[in-house]
Amino acid sequence: MTLKRVTVAAGVGLLLAACVGIPQASAAVTPGDGLALTPPMGFNNWNSTHCRAEFNEAMIKGIADIFVSKGLKDAGYQYVNLDDCWALPQRGPDGNLVPDPVRFPNGIKHVADYVHSKGLKFGIYTSAGTMTCNENGFPGSLGYEQQDADLFASYGVDYLKYDNCNNQGVDAKQRYIAMRDALAKTGRKILYSICEWGENKPWEWAADVGHMWRTTYDISDSYGSMLGIAKQNWALAEHAGPGRWNDPDMLEVGNGGMSGIEYRSHFNLWAIMAAPLLIGSDLRKATPETFEILNNREVIAVDQDPLGVQGKPIKSANGLHVFVKPLRNGDKAVLLFNEGEQQSRISTSAAEIGLPRAAGYKVRDLWERTDRHTAGEISATVPPHGSVMFRVSMDPRWAAYPSFVEASVDTATVYPGALPLVRPGHDTTVTTAVTNNGRLPAVQVDASLAAPAGWSVQAGSPSSRLVLRTGQSLSTKWTVKAPASAKPGSYSLQVNAKYQPGGTASYALQVVVPQPAPRTGFLSDFPWLRTTNGWGPVEIDKSNHEAQGGDGNPITIQGARYEKGFGAHSPGVIEYYVDGKCTSVTTDVGMDDEQDPKGSANFEIWADGRKVTESGVLTNLMPAKSLSADITGAILVRLIAADGGDGNSNDHADWADTRITCS
Ligand code: GLA
């Protein structure tokens, strides 16, 4: 990634602060104003449109309509907010900001009135600087705080997002307090969202300045970005509370860059962290799955719980996290989150999450919407990047609910973290486990394994048991065979367990039927199994240009140009299924000239779980290095561009002239 933000030297800023007369201190307006007693919920256009033309009056009205028609208003989503690019690049003759007449031909008040007519609230955006963040140079509010606050109040604004670009080095507290006081002077209740990206640790000083503050730089629509931001935000849990929320940025759910499992984790994480829930996708084009996530009322209730505690991990190891958020009625929200690449069991207990001792507890699964009872164990097998969310209660009627039975499916992988593979026409051994975590016995327990149509499934050991007592498991081995004609792709193997009294449990393992192994030639001419990349997608026969696929330049290292190869960005992995049929990979590696003189990476080649060769850290000032790897017998080969020690910036890592030799 290339960082874009630049602020001018502090000296210039101080001078400007003096010129514009920014106040040094004044009365607090939050949190006693009763706004944001629970984390704000609504919509903001930025993540879906950025500055593009589809950000306009029709979009904002359309979102307000959908809030009502799809039940999102009833679910608690309230604010419909404009982000950057709503104004013209110049203020008017009276010094006021001027709405862009193409996007908003009827002005902003008209849109605000429309939003209000739906029983919703309206928000707007500007920056605590001379200009906003967009490169088109829209005017910011530094030095115009009162004039702009008055204009916003006259529009009927209920929410202001106040950004940090072009701040001229003026002290952040001064800038944000100046707008807080200007908003207060308007006499209108305006929720105040501080967006200085955590640069000045607002969690330490902004509780009486704004209702929420960004804790990080911008989110983007990728799992890596979402995860990195969640981690920064969850470390700050102690600072949040009613009227003062940590803001890990707006939601990306529905924008297309993450899987359904990842979007659910994104939503669960934001909810357990009591984060503001600002929908960031264009709901006019949203899928039923997007609505299902955004409209999960029970997860929203966790976010919105009036106790206002930000949940945090009570234990984390190897990327497996147990989050707990205490709720007002004494219940605990529990999130089991697997950040890694390998499905894993995550477990905790009623005692560990802080509930008093009891014979049984009620466990509600907030996505399955089932009620179960547990003797204390709270656990699940969680898919890669996935999460499971429970609400656990003290309930004297716990015995009325079926036992909390846990189900899992497993199969051997080539190395820990490798995709579970099914080779068409070959037997694959799959193990299922069904475990009773309930206090009461589960009886007549019956497990079955569902595979895609045309696949054969045979139990190699008993798949039913008369009684499973607390803590006991039924483990079954199965032989699964996909027909030789099975197409490459991802398939699900699902265990379904039935038991008495009255329960079911299930879990699905995603397995992959790989593409056939490559033949001798340029590796980039064959389809890979999977990739991960530090920034943007991996490019084929081009350098990595960070944004969309196909945007790269010719691969060039210290002036040497290559026709074939991959344009990666460290940290990144390109993985191939070679099925034991290939013997060597040869390649040149180096940092692409397009980021000269920045960037570094260590290039490694792995055969199954074994590192065969590595380049050592290469920088942009070094020529290409040649690598040769013996991969004889390997099933999977990985080209890994590891971090060169300087983080995920400017690391355009080229695999050049990469060839594979196969039988
Ligand atoms: C900054 C903010 C974003 C968005 C853009 C608009 O990057 O952090 O959330 O408002 O500006 O230009």
Side-chain angles (χ1 to χ4, degrees):
M1 170 186 89
T2 320
L3 288 176
K4 292 171 228 112
R5 280 192 188 96
V6 180
T7 43
V8 298
V12 182
L14 287 177
L15 193 65
L16 196 118
C19 298
V20 298
I22 287 172
Q24 296 301 306
S26 50
V29 296
T30 67
D33 59 8
L35 287 175
L37 294 179
T38 62
M41 292 175 64
F43 168 85
N44 173 300
N45 64 284
W46 184 254
N47 286 349
S48 100
T49 66
H50 285 207
C51 215
R52 290 190 304 273
E54 69 256 32
F55 166 46
N56 60 17
E57 178 182 309
M59 176 190 206
I60 300 303
K61 287 181 168 176
I63 298 293
D65 292 344
I66 290 171
F67 266 23
V68 176
S69 65
K70 291 280 189 180
L72 293 166
K73 179 185 170 195
D74 290 341
Y77 294 96
Q78 193 182 14
Y79 293 97
V80 179
N81 297 348
L82 311 186
D83 208 280
D84 201 355
C85 308
W86 63 267
L88 285 180
Q90 299 299 328
R91 290 176 177 270
D94 54 1
N96 275 342
L97 296 165
V98 183
D100 180 331
V102 176
R103 294 182 198 269
F104 297 102
N106 299 298
I108 299 297
K109 184 163 189 322
H110 169 83
V111 186
D113 288 348
Y114 186 86
V115 170
H116 289 146
S117 76
K118 303 280 167 186
L120 297 164
K121 292 189 169 165
F122 179 73
I124 209 160
Y125 161 99
T126 184
S127 180
T130 49
M131 285 185 293
T132 67
C133 293
N134 187 265
E135 62 267 20
N136 293 323
F138 301 109
S141 292
L142 189 61
Y144 290 84
E145 289 84 358
Q146 197 61 56
Q147 180 164 5
D148 291 351
D150 289 342
L151 181 70
F152 298 154
S154 77
Y155 288 160
V157 162
D158 306 298
Y159 179 124
L160 175 66
K161 171 176 171 182
Y162 202 36
D163 212 338
N164 195 30
C165 284
N166 303 299
N167 62 47
Q168 310 301 319
V170 180
D171 177 70
K173 277 188 216 176
Q174 289 181 23
R175 288 181 292 117
Y176 285 94
I177 286 173
M179 182 53 91
R180 174 198 71 182
D181 293 344
L183 292 173
K185 271 205 197 121
T186 68
R188 190 173 170 87
K189 275 197 170 182
I190 299 178
L191 192 153
Y192 186 28
S193 158
I194 295 177
C195 177
E196 62 72 81
W197 321 310
E199 281 192 341
N200 304 280
K201 301 191 172 160
W203 46 90
E204 289 179 356
W205 52 264
D208 64 354
V209 179
H211 300 92
M212 55 193 264
W213 46 80
R214 281 273 295 279
T215 52
T216 69
Y217 288 118
D218 292 8
I219 194 168
S220 67
D221 187 19
S222 73
Y223 175 73
S225 163
M226 185 279 290
L227 176 64
I229 281 180
K231 286 185 172 182
Q232 283 174 264
N233 195 71
W234 81 52
L236 300 169
E238 71 199 89
H239 300 285
R244 49 187 168 90
W245 305 105
N246 288 318
D247 175 11
D249 207 356
M250 302 170 293
L251 297 169
E252 292 283 5
V253 176
N255 282 332
M258 294 184 232
S259 69
I261 283 182
E262 292 167 340
Y263 279 139
R264 255 192 211 196
S265 292
H266 177 16
F267 198 66
N268 284 343
L269 283 163
W270 264 232
I272 202 100
M273 295 193 297
L277 299 178
L278 277 306
I279 294 171
S281 60
D282 187 344
L283 295 173
R284 295 172 303 171
K285 301 177 203 152
T287 61
E289 188 184 17
T290 296
F291 281 113
E292 196 205 323
I293 295 173
L294 296 171
N295 217 344
N296 184 322
R297 310 274 172 113
E298 297 186 51
V299 175
I300 292 172
V302 169
D303 179 78
Q304 293 290 301
D305 186 79
L307 194 58
V309 174
Q310 176 173 335
K312 60 180 179 200
I314 57 160
K315 60 178 185 183
S316 292
N318 306 320
L320 307 176
H321 308 278
V322 176
F323 284 77
V324 177
K325 181 181 198 288
L327 305 175
R328 167 79 137 258
N329 70 349
D331 292 356
K332 309 281 184 186
V334 176
L335 181 68
L336 309 179
F337 170 51
N338 175 5
E339 73 168 77
E341 305 305 320
Q342 195 183 3
Q343 72 164 4
S344 298
R345 183 165 187 269
I346 307 179
S347 76
T348 184
S349 67
E352 225 171 41
I353 66 171
L355 287 175
R357 188 190 271 272
Y361 306 84
K362 177 180 167 191
V363 179
R364 180 155 178 86
D365 183 317
L366 302 189
W367 290 94
E368 296 294 321
R369 298 185 170 86
T370 53
D371 293 321
R372 299 283 182 261
H373 86 261
T374 177
E377 179 81 6
I378 299 156
S379 49
T381 296
V382 185
H385 302 183
S387 54
V388 177
M389 203 174 199
F390 298 119
R391 188 174 181 126
V392 187
S393 322
M394 302 297 295
D395 184 343
R397 294 184 62 254
W398 59 264
Y401 307 109
S403 282
F404 175 25
V405 165
E406 201 186 322
S408 64
V409 185
D410 209 354
T411 186
T413 57
V414 172
Y415 62 89
L419 289 172
L421 300 174
V422 170
R423 296 162 76 206
H426 291 76
D427 286 349
T428 303
T429 303
V430 170
T431 310
T432 60
V434 176
T435 305
N436 181 13
N437 293 323
R439 173 69 61 197
L440 303 177
V443 300
Q444 292 172 346
V445 182
D446 184 50
S448 59
L449 184 66
W455 293 33
S456 76
V457 174
Q458 269 186 331
S461 64
S463 60
S464 58
R465 182 84 78 80
L466 196 54
V467 182
L468 279 184
R469 297 188 192 284
T470 307
Q472 288 185 329
S473 291
L474 163 64
S475 176
T476 310
K477 282 217 180 313
W478 310 80
T479 302
V480 172
K481 194 182 210 169
S485 60
K487 292 212 164 53
S490 180
Y491 296 87
S492 145
L493 293 177
Q494 178 163 317
V495 60
N496 294 307
K498 282 196 213 131
Y499 56 97
Q500 297 301 326
T504 59
S506 62
Y507 178 80
L509 171 71
Q510 296 302 317
V511 294
V512 173
V513 172
Q515 299 276 356
R519 294 182 307 279
T520 297
F522 289 110
L523 195 52
S524 58
D525 288 341
F526 299 95
W528 53 53
L529 182 65
R530 64 172 165 175
T531 63
T532 58
N533 208 38
W535 202 250
V538 174
E539 298 292 342
I540 293 173
D541 303 334
K542 285 195 161 102
S543 65
N544 173 273
H545 206 58
E546 302 197 355
Q548 310 88 340
D551 65 350
N553 297 309
I555 293 173
T556 315
I557 304 168
Q558 292 289 298
R561 206 169 140 160
Y562 298 82
E563 294 304 316
K564 304 295 289 182
F566 303 98
H569 192 301
S570 101
V573 182
I574 304 168
E575 183 162 40
Y576 274 84
Y577 172 72
V578 295
D579 197 16
K581 293 184 175 142
C582 303
T583 51
S584 74
V585 172
T586 58
T587 184
D588 280 3
V589 293
M591 306 311 293
D592 195 276
D593 287 358
E594 76 186 339
Q595 287 305 94
D596 186 41
K598 297 184 201 141
S600 65
N602 182 25
F603 295 79
E604 306 172 354
I605 301 180
W606 289 63
D608 295 340
R610 198 165 43 91
K611 192 197 304 181
V612 181
T613 185
E614 68 184 310
S615 65
V617 173
L618 298 182
T619 71
N620 230 306
L621 303 171
M622 296 161 82
K625 194 163 176 176
S626 297
L627 296 180
S628 170
D630 180 352
I631 57 160
T632 307
I635 305 294
L636 297 169
V637 167
R638 281 177 291 165
L639 311 182
I640 300 181
D643 180 26
D646 58 356
N648 177 9
S649 278
N650 303 295
D651 297 333
H652 291 208
D654 289 338
W655 299 90
D657 206 12
T658 308
R659 295 165 197 258
I660 190 158
T661 308
C662 305
S663 56

